[in-house]
Amino acid sequence: MRVLWLCNIIPPVIARELNREVSNKEGWISGMVEAVLADREENGLELSMAFPMEDAPFPVGEKIASIACYGFREDIKNPEKYEESLEQSLQKIVYHVKPDIVHCFGTEYPHTLAMCRIFLQKERLLVGLQGLCSLLAEAYCADLPGKVADSVTFRDWLKKDSIRQQQEKFRIRGRQEREIVSLAGNITGRTGWDRQQTRKWNPDARYFHMNETMRKEFYGHVWQEKECIPHSVFLSQGDYPLKGLHYMLLALPAILERYPDTRVYVAGNSLVAHKTWKDRLKISAYGKYLLKLLKENSLEDKVIFLGKLNAGEMRDRYLKSHLFVCPSSLENSPNSLGEAMLLGMPCVCAGVGGIPSLFEDGKDGIVYEGFSGTDENIREDEQLGRRLETVAGRLAGAVMQMWARPERMGEYCRNARRHAEKTHDRSENYRRLLEIYRILIS
């Protein structure tokens, strides 16, 4: 069975062989690649991969780590731009591979739309859902006051990348995404939310439930309270409004009143660097707002930005932390939550999007009511500010509730780990992948 995977990144196993930077995004692809390669003598899969590269593609079909690889040019820094040349590039790859099945991982990039347009055997075309851009666009500003969402710094003007422009880019990608779903004969998803939404866009597509396999670094390790930093909070990212770091900063003063030693650690680049004139020139409107919250509430020494972390560093930070928080305004199935649950650590999450399908309130941890959706009647900053403070207050309450009951917290941790071990069971997820492929060619 010849299967062509269309990926959004160069998979880590390939990037290492090419001496390229290994992306920390979409780490679950690594887990699935490892499973397929380990069983290649039994599974009958002849796996090929196609992925975007900014520079010239390497020779067509070059074998790397036993996988036939195909690079194609795409402006991955501007995923809202669709280039018809992608169709020609992918047509050549499909002609060379002659796949029985094409499996597209994600709907967020133009290459998936190009593949859906050129691959005519829709019954053999499988599209895997990750985020849903069209809906993420509506939640993008995450209750930010209008004057913040509308502001533009020098950096934003120069890069044409203000908060509103970022939101519009998501809307454009969302329109492409809806066409992808409308063209797909088969869809994989993981949550009741993504199934409900995509059924509206294409009721004729076959939907297959398929969970994700996490990166290997997150299996076999268990969080221990005695080994963590007391009252330390970990956020896996916070570099754009959708991820909700501002909710956490607004919740922090109330948490500090009860737990003065609280510290918040945020993975990813710091948006608030401002010590040099170059830093100040490069700050975004969202970074400027976060910096304002830090200064107004004397939080600058309470929030630590960790920079980019690889899988092992991420795992170690989870294990050092007293709590994982997911304050996003909208998510489908955040891998960060899956990783935290798999490690068996305490988790607090906003109950948005697909999270309730993965994380049970009162059993796996605590879910609080987060972003409630856009409301055309709410236009004044004062109204938005009240709503923002309300959500932040719920988040603060959930954090303090978690730490106030250590015995219950331990129960949450055990339940979350058991739940995640089922959801992210490598063998079961690999079996399901093969099952879906066999259904498609039967």
Side-chain angles (χ1 to χ4, degrees):
M1 185 192 310
R2 293 186 298 274
V3 180
L4 173 62
W5 286 7
L6 182 63
C7 304
N8 298 333
I9 60 168
I10 303 177
V13 65
I14 307 300
R16 292 188 191 98
E17 292 290 330
L18 295 174
N19 294 317
R20 291 173 177 264
E21 182 180 358
V22 175
S23 174
N24 293 320
K25 297 179 180 178
E26 303 179 21
W28 49 268
I29 287 181
S30 295
M32 197 58 77
V33 170
E34 289 165 4
V36 170
L37 293 181
D39 188 43
R40 59 180 177 268
E41 292 184 4
E42 299 293 331
N43 58 34
L45 295 188
E46 186 178 327
L47 182 61
S48 301
M49 286 188 180
F51 40 77
M53 301 176 70
E54 292 183 342
D55 52 1
F58 48 83
V60 172
E62 180 177 332
K63 283 276 185 129
I64 300 176
S66 302
I67 301 167
C69 296
Y70 302 82
F72 56 88
R73 288 189 181 90
E74 182 177 24
D75 184 3
I76 54 178
K77 293 181 179 178
N78 296 286
E80 74 283 357
K81 295 180 180 178
Y82 186 84
E83 298 176 352
E84 291 189 1
S85 59
L86 277 171
E87 297 179 23
Q88 297 175 346
S89 299
L90 295 179
Q91 187 72 67
K92 290 178 182 178
I93 294 171
V94 168
Y95 178 79
H96 193 271
V97 176
K98 295 180 175 58
D100 297 305
I101 294 171
V102 171
H103 187 170
C104 306
F105 290 87
T107 58
E108 305 96 320
Y109 289 87
H111 55 252
T112 301
L113 177 55
M115 181 62 80
C116 288
R117 285 178 174 177
I118 64 101
F119 192 71
L120 302 181
Q121 293 177 278
K122 304 306 183 188
E123 71 280 3
R124 301 287 183 90
L125 177 63
L126 181 65
V127 172
L129 302 174
Q130 292 173 191
L132 295 179
C133 291
S134 58
L135 301 173
L136 295 176
E138 300 308 312
Y140 190 84
C141 291
D143 290 326
L144 288 178
K147 62 184 179 183
V148 174
D150 293 334
S151 62
V152 180
T153 64
F154 176 75
R155 174 259 177 209
D156 296 340
W157 172 80
L158 190 65
K159 293 190 169 226
K160 298 180 180 179
D161 193 43
S162 68
I163 293 173
R164 292 297 188 193
Q165 286 170 319
Q166 291 168 14
Q167 184 180 33
E168 181 58 25
K169 290 172 186 177
F170 263 83
R171 288 197 179 105
I172 295 169
R173 294 169 75 183
R175 290 194 288 271
Q176 294 177 358
E177 174 183 70
R178 291 194 182 208
E179 184 179 347
I180 289 168
V181 172
S182 72
L183 292 172
N186 306 278
I187 292 169
T188 67
R190 297 171 301 287
T191 67
W193 181 71
D194 69 33
R195 181 170 190 161
Q196 178 184 27
Q197 297 300 329
T198 53
R199 182 167 284 176
K200 294 177 184 177
W201 303 339
N202 185 355
D204 296 325
R206 286 190 293 183
Y207 180 97
F208 298 94
H209 185 95
M210 188 174 76
N211 290 317
E212 290 182 340
T213 297
M214 298 291 103
R215 294 176 284 185
K216 62 183 179 181
E217 288 84 357
F218 293 91
Y219 292 87
H221 299 268
V222 183
W223 179 86
Q224 300 289 337
E225 185 175 7
K226 62 184 179 182
E227 296 178 5
C228 75
I229 302 170
H231 304 133
S232 57
V233 177
F234 181 50
L235 275 67
S236 63
Q237 58 182 306
D239 53 357
Y240 55 106
L242 191 70
K243 296 301 177 181
L245 178 55
H246 53 290
Y247 290 121
M248 188 72 242
L249 298 187
L250 285 164
L252 194 49
I255 298 169
L256 285 164
E257 286 185 15
R258 187 163 178 181
Y259 299 100
D261 59 339
T262 300
R263 295 292 183 273
V264 174
Y265 295 85
V266 186
N269 293 328
S270 172
L271 295 185
V272 299
H274 63 287
K275 292 184 178 180
T276 69
W277 66 270
K278 286 186 178 180
D279 289 337
R280 291 190 288 274
L281 282 177
K282 292 192 293 184
I283 199 165
S284 66
Y286 185 54
K288 189 175 180 181
Y289 175 60
L290 295 177
L291 182 60
K292 175 176 177 286
L293 295 180
L294 290 170
K295 288 183 173 181
E296 284 182 348
N297 297 295
S298 302
L299 301 175
E300 290 178 282
D301 63 339
K302 314 291 186 186
V303 181
I304 300 93
F305 291 88
L306 301 170
K308 292 182 179 179
L309 303 179
N310 61 33
E313 292 167 336
M314 283 285 287
R315 177 202 60 216
D316 293 344
R317 178 50 60 181
Y318 282 114
L319 295 174
K320 288 178 185 176
S321 302
H322 204 174
L323 181 66
F324 170 76
V325 170
C326 180
S328 300
S329 58
L330 193 61
E331 293 275 5
N332 185 22
S333 59
N335 285 343
S336 56
L337 174 59
E339 291 167 348
M341 292 174 67
L342 197 55
L343 294 170
M345 70 175 296
C347 300
V348 163
C349 303
V352 295
I355 285 179
S357 292
L358 305 172
F359 186 79
E360 187 174 343
D361 182 33
K363 183 176 181 181
D364 299 327
I366 298 175
V367 174
Y368 66 94
E369 186 180 346
F371 177 77
S372 56
T374 56
D375 187 339
E376 293 300 323
N377 295 319
I378 297 180
R379 298 182 181 275
E380 300 297 328
D381 276 1
E382 184 179 346
Q383 293 174 296
L384 283 165
R386 283 198 298 269
R387 196 162 79 167
L388 181 57
E389 290 174 4
T390 297
V391 175
R394 292 173 186 148
L395 169 54
V399 171
M400 291 186 285
Q401 180 185 343
M402 178 67 79
W403 286 339
R405 302 177 65 187
E407 291 184 4
R408 188 62 190 273
M409 184 174 71
E411 185 180 339
Y412 288 149
C413 293
R414 291 187 292 273
N415 290 339
R417 189 160 190 266
R418 282 194 293 265
H419 190 169
E421 285 177 334
K422 293 180 180 178
T423 303
H424 306 298
D425 183 294
R426 287 179 287 190
S427 298
E428 176 58 27
N429 294 342
Y430 171 60
R431 184 203 64 76
R432 178 59 172 161
L433 177 72
L434 296 183
E435 180 183 47
I436 293 170
Y437 287 169
R438 286 165 185 151
I439 290 172
L440 296 190
I441 65 170
S442 64

